[in-house]
Amino acid sequence: MQSSAAVPDLPGVTPSRQQRSRETTAALLQAGAEMLRTHSLAELSIETLCRKVGATVGAFYSRFASKDAYFNALIELAARDGAGRLSRMKDDARLAGADLTERSRLLVRGTTNWIRNHEGVLRAALQHDDTRPDRWSTFKALARANVADATPILLAAMGPGNKPAKTRAIAFGFQVVLGTLVNAILNDPGPLSVHDREMEERLAGCLLLLLQAEMTARPAAASARKRRGGRK
């Protein structure tokens, strides 16, 4: 979540010209994102939120038309942060010089950190997907963009040939990663929490194994066909 330094213009949020007013808006958004880590959206009290930042309820409604508009602003901030992460990922020098193992680790770590940073907002969006599916659709689009941007980075370390199959393996690998992380923030089934460092390490290992399996399966199958063809 963005700190109180500055908040960009957000749909449904009354713009603030004065620095102090912008800081109050940012503080309200920051406090709400933190509260959603331990409370559902229904439990999020505007009165309690305002007390946390020393603002009045009137100040809240002068900025946000409703609680719904407020939550939409939280979703937009999380989505913009995710888009910014993807933009930075494309120019990450660490990825350019890394092997497949390190690329898998860095990409999974970036995805996991983003989900950790916005855990409460993401959970609330998931919990209200049945009544407002458009909220989670924002993050679905971001997930697709994540896979699209990560694919050429991983393909470059997977060697030549069988690009469609490798691309499919990458997409499925991220489905495993994201599905596990979403389940962790929504249900926390254990044994690992989204906050455990072991979570990202194991997910990076899962992604790597899936990609390596695709890299070795095709040549092995081709060799087997060649051997069968050479039998008399």
Side-chain angles (χ1 to χ4, degrees):
M1 177 59 60
Q2 202 155 343
S3 69
S4 59
V7 172
D9 290 337
L10 297 167
V13 180
T14 303
S16 303
R17 293 185 177 181
Q18 296 181 348
Q19 176 67 18
R20 185 171 180 179
S21 180
R22 291 196 298 270
E23 289 175 352
T24 299
T25 301
L28 287 166
L29 290 165
Q30 179 72 36
E34 290 300 319
M35 288 176 67
L36 285 172
R37 291 182 182 274
T38 54
H39 297 75
S40 69
L41 184 60
E43 294 169 337
L44 182 65
S45 163
I46 301 303
E47 292 79 4
T48 303
L49 173 65
C50 291
R51 281 199 301 270
K52 279 184 174 291
V53 302
T56 65
V57 173
F60 176 91
Y61 284 108
S62 70
R63 291 164 171 79
F64 309 98
S66 63
K67 186 177 179 179
D68 198 56
Y70 172 75
F71 185 53
N72 287 339
L74 289 175
I75 290 175
E76 179 65 19
L77 279 177
R80 291 185 186 184
D81 182 53
R85 184 187 72 80
L86 294 182
S87 178
R88 293 188 298 272
M89 181 179 75
K90 295 176 183 178
D91 300 320
D92 193 332
R94 297 174 301 169
L95 287 165
D99 60 11
L100 184 61
T101 299
E102 184 65 4
R103 291 183 189 206
S104 298
R105 187 185 69 82
L106 290 170
L107 291 171
V108 169
R109 172 176 287 184
T111 300
T112 306
N113 283 340
W114 176 76
I115 286 182
R116 285 173 181 152
N117 291 340
H118 303 284
E119 175 189 4
V121 175
L122 293 170
R123 184 188 301 112
L126 277 164
Q127 289 171 335
H128 289 78
D129 185 44
D130 55 341
T131 57
R132 286 287 303 275
D134 56 307
R135 285 172 168 164
W136 189 245
S137 295
T138 300
F139 298 122
K140 283 183 179 179
L142 192 61
R144 287 192 290 269
N146 186 26
V147 175
D149 289 346
T151 296
I153 294 171
L154 292 169
L155 281 175
M158 292 177 72
N162 297 313
K163 182 177 178 180
K166 290 174 181 176
T167 299
R168 185 74 167 173
I170 292 169
F172 178 70
F174 273 97
Q175 183 176 352
V176 171
V177 170
L178 291 168
T180 302
L181 291 171
V182 165
N183 188 38
I185 63 169
L186 187 59
N187 300 310
D188 194 19
L192 298 179
S193 160
V194 70
H195 299 286
D196 292 330
R197 179 66 178 273
E198 188 181 352
M199 173 70 88
E200 67 185 64
E201 292 172 352
R202 288 192 176 275
L203 285 176
C206 286
L207 176 62
L208 178 63
L209 287 172
L210 285 166
L211 301 185
Q212 289 175 331
E214 184 60 47
M215 292 164 63
T216 57
R218 303 291 169 168
S223 297
R225 287 194 298 271
K226 185 176 181 181
R227 287 195 301 272
R228 288 195 299 270
R231 290 173 184 169
K232 299 290 186 178

